[in-house]
C-alpha cells in the first residue's frame, strides 16, 4: 500500500542537476488524491471551478476532483473514450475522443461542438493530446491507439497517417503541421511558443522531438531529437513551466515510473518517483504551482516552486 512520505524532504523528489534544487519545496510531498481507475490520462485544471478533470479511458468516463472537498465524481459518462484535454483561451474544454475519432469543444451551456473529425474526407485515427496557442489555433496529435482494439475505443482500420494537426482558430481550417512523427503522442509549446515538443511513440525506445515554430506561427521547421529515452524509458505527456523546463510523464519499469524534468537544453535535472507509470500531467491550483499527475490507476499531486506556463 502506497503512503505519502512521513518526513520532509520527500525522497521521491530527486535532484539530478543543481538547477532543479530551486523547484523543490522542502515541506511538500507527493500526495495520492484518488485511485481505482483503469488508465488515467489527460488532466486539465479549472481554476474557476476549483477542480481538476481527467480521463479514465477504458472506463469511458471523465472524472472530476474537487479541490475544496477532495471528492471525486463523474463529469461525463460516457465520454466517447476521451483521452487528452485542455482549455482554449476562452476557458472552454477541448477534448480528444477515441470512440468518435474527433476533437470537440464543450460550450458554456454544456453543448458539444465538433472541431474536427475528418481530414480530406477521411476519418481521423484517435486524437490523443491537445494544446491551444495564443492565436487560438488548436494543435493535436492523432496516433492510432484508440482504434487498435476495444479497450480504449473501437477497433478499426486507420484511414490517415499519424499526423500532427493545426486547426485555425478563426477559420476552422485544418492542416497537417507534420506527418513525419511515428505515432505522435504528447505535445506542448515552450512558454514563448517558439518551440513545439512532441513525443514519438511508434519507435523503441521512444523519444521526444522538438520543432521550431515558423515565423508566421502556423508551421513547424528544424525537426530534431530533444530527448532519446533509454530502452526502458517511456515518455508520454508533458507540460512546460514558466522557465521552459519540460515536466514529462514517464515509465515503465521499477525505479523509472513517475515524472522526469528536463531543462531547455535537454539536460535531465529532476525526477519525481511514483509507484505507477505517469501518463500525463498539468499544472494547476490558484497559483499554477501544483503539479497534477495522472498515473495509471491513480491521481497524484505535488506542490512545486515554479508555475506552469500559461496555455498549458
Amino acid at each position: 500500500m502506497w503512503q505519502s512520505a512521513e518526513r520532509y524532504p520527500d525522497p521521491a523528489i530527486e535532484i539530478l542537476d543543481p538547477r532543479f534544487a530551486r523547484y523543490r519545496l522542502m515541506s511538500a510531498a507527493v500526495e495520492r488524491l484518488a485511485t481505482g481507475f483503469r488508465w488515467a490520462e489527460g488532466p486539465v485544471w479549472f481554476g474557476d471551478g476549483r477542480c481538476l478533470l481527467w480521463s479514465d479511458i477504458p472506463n469511458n468516463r471523465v472524472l472530476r476532483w474537487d479541490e475544496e472537498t477532495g471528492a471525486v465524481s463523474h463529469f461525463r459518462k460516457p465520454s466517447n473514450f476521451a483521452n487528452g484535454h485542455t482549455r482554449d483561451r476562452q476557458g472552454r474544454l477541448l477534448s480528444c475522443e477515441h470512440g468518435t475519432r474527433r476533437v470537440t469543444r464543450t460550450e458554456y451551456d454544456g453543448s458539444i461542438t465538433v472541431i474536427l473529425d475528418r481530414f480530406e474526407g477521411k476519418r481521423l485515427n484517435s486524437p490523443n493530446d491537445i494544446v491551444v496557442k495564443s492565436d487560438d489555433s488548436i494543435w493535436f496529435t492523432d496516433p492510432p491507439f484508440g482504434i487498435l482494439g476495444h479497450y480504449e475505443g473501437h477497433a478499426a482500420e486507420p484511414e490517415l497517417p499519424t499526423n500532427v494537426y493545426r486547426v485555425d482558430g478563426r477559420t476552422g481550417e485544418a492542416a497537417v503541421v507534420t506527418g513525419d512523427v511515428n505515432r505522435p503522442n504528447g505535445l506542448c509549446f515552450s512558454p514563448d511558443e517558439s518551440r513545439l515538443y512532441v513525443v514519438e511513440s511508434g519507435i523503441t525506445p521512444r523519444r521526444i522531438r522538438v520543432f521550431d515554430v515558423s515565423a508566421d506561427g502556423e508551421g513547424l521547421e528544424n525537426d530534431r531529437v530533444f530527448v532519446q529515452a533509454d530502452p526502458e524509458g517511456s515518455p508520454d505527456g508533458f507540460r512546460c513551466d514558466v522557465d521552459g523546463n519540460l515536466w514529462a510523464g514517464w515509465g515503465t519499469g521499477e525505479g523509472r515510473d513517475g515524472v522526469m524534468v528536463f531543462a531547455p537544453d535537454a539536460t535531465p535535472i529532476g525526477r519525481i518517483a511514483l509507484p505507477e507509470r505517469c501518463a500525463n500531467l498539468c499544472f494547476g491550483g490558484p497559483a499554477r504551482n501544483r503539479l497534477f499527475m495522472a498515473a495509471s490507476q491513480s491521481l497524484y499531486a505535488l506542490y512545486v516552486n515554479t508555475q506552469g506556463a500559461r496555455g498549458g
Side-chain angles (χ1 to χ4, degrees):
M1 177 66 70
W2 180 88
Q3 291 184 338
S4 181
E6 296 180 352
R7 296 178 59 87
Y8 294 133
D10 187 343
I13 306 161
E14 302 177 31
I15 297 173
L16 305 179
D17 180 283
R19 285 175 285 180
F20 187 67
R22 60 177 292 201
Y23 301 117
R24 183 181 69 170
L25 291 170
M26 296 294 287
S27 57
V30 176
E31 304 167 75
R32 179 184 274 173
L33 303 181
T35 192
F37 320 117
R38 284 207 168 95
W39 182 248
E41 265 278 13
V44 57
W45 174 253
F46 275 74
D48 42 354
R50 295 189 63 188
C51 67
L52 184 88
L53 303 182
W54 77 98
S55 295
D56 183 7
I57 305 175
N59 283 323
N60 197 16
R61 60 184 180 172
V62 175
L63 296 164
R64 169 183 168 137
W65 174 81
D66 185 85
E67 182 188 38
E68 178 67 21
T69 66
V72 174
S73 59
H74 283 135
F75 173 80
R76 179 171 294 157
K77 183 178 174 65
S79 66
N80 296 321
F81 296 96
N83 187 338
H85 306 277
T86 194
R87 299 182 75 178
D88 67 13
R89 297 300 171 123
Q90 291 73 45
R92 296 168 295 188
L93 176 68
L94 295 175
S95 302
C96 294
E97 298 179 0
H98 284 183
T100 48
R101 300 165 69 172
R102 66 185 187 179
V103 174
T104 63
R105 181 176 65 227
T106 301
E107 307 295 350
Y108 300 126
D109 62 4
S111 61
I112 303 296
T113 297
V114 177
I115 301 299
L116 195 70
D117 60 357
R118 293 176 180 270
F119 183 73
E120 296 181 343
K122 299 177 181 179
R123 297 189 70 186
L124 300 177
N125 296 310
S126 55
N128 185 283
D129 204 359
I130 186 167
V131 290
V132 177
K133 199 165 170 282
S134 59
D135 62 1
D136 291 326
S137 59
I138 299 166
W139 302 58
F140 69 93
T141 56
D142 189 36
F145 304 132
I147 58 174
L148 296 179
H150 296 289
Y151 188 61
E152 295 188 12
H154 308 293
E157 292 296 319
E159 299 178 25
L160 287 163
T162 59
N163 297 321
V164 180
Y165 293 93
R166 176 188 183 271
V167 180
D168 190 278
R170 297 177 298 275
T171 67
E173 182 179 354
V176 174
V177 289
T178 179
D180 296 330
V181 180
N182 190 341
R183 295 187 174 186
N185 196 329
L187 79 170
C188 91
F189 286 105
S190 61
D192 63 0
E193 299 182 338
S194 66
R195 290 177 166 189
L196 181 74
Y197 300 94
V198 183
V199 166
E200 186 166 30
S201 298
I203 61 171
T204 303
R206 292 185 177 188
R207 59 188 181 181
I208 301 173
R209 290 164 65 169
V210 61
F211 299 81
D212 293 330
V213 178
S214 60
D216 64 6
E218 298 181 3
L220 300 176
E221 55 194 23
N222 193 22
D223 173 21
R224 59 216 185 263
V225 175
F226 181 70
V227 169
Q228 178 70 64
D230 62 45
E232 296 183 16
S234 183
D236 196 327
F238 38 57
R239 290 292 182 262
C240 278
D241 65 23
V242 291
D243 294 325
N245 301 301
L246 190 70
W247 299 64
W250 210 265
T252 61
E254 186 176 352
R256 298 178 181 272
D257 293 335
V259 173
M260 290 291 297
V261 185
F262 298 93
D265 64 5
T267 302
I269 61 172
R271 178 174 178 267
I272 302 166
L274 297 176
E276 308 173 70
R277 173 182 175 179
C278 182
N280 214 328
L281 50 81
C282 73
F283 289 91
R288 302 195 320 279
N289 67 333
R290 197 174 189 185
L291 185 70
F292 292 96
M293 298 163 279
S296 300
Q297 300 178 62
S298 304
L299 177 69
Y300 297 88
L302 173 67
Y303 283 100
V304 294
N305 194 33
T306 187
Q307 295 177 297
R310 292 192 180 276

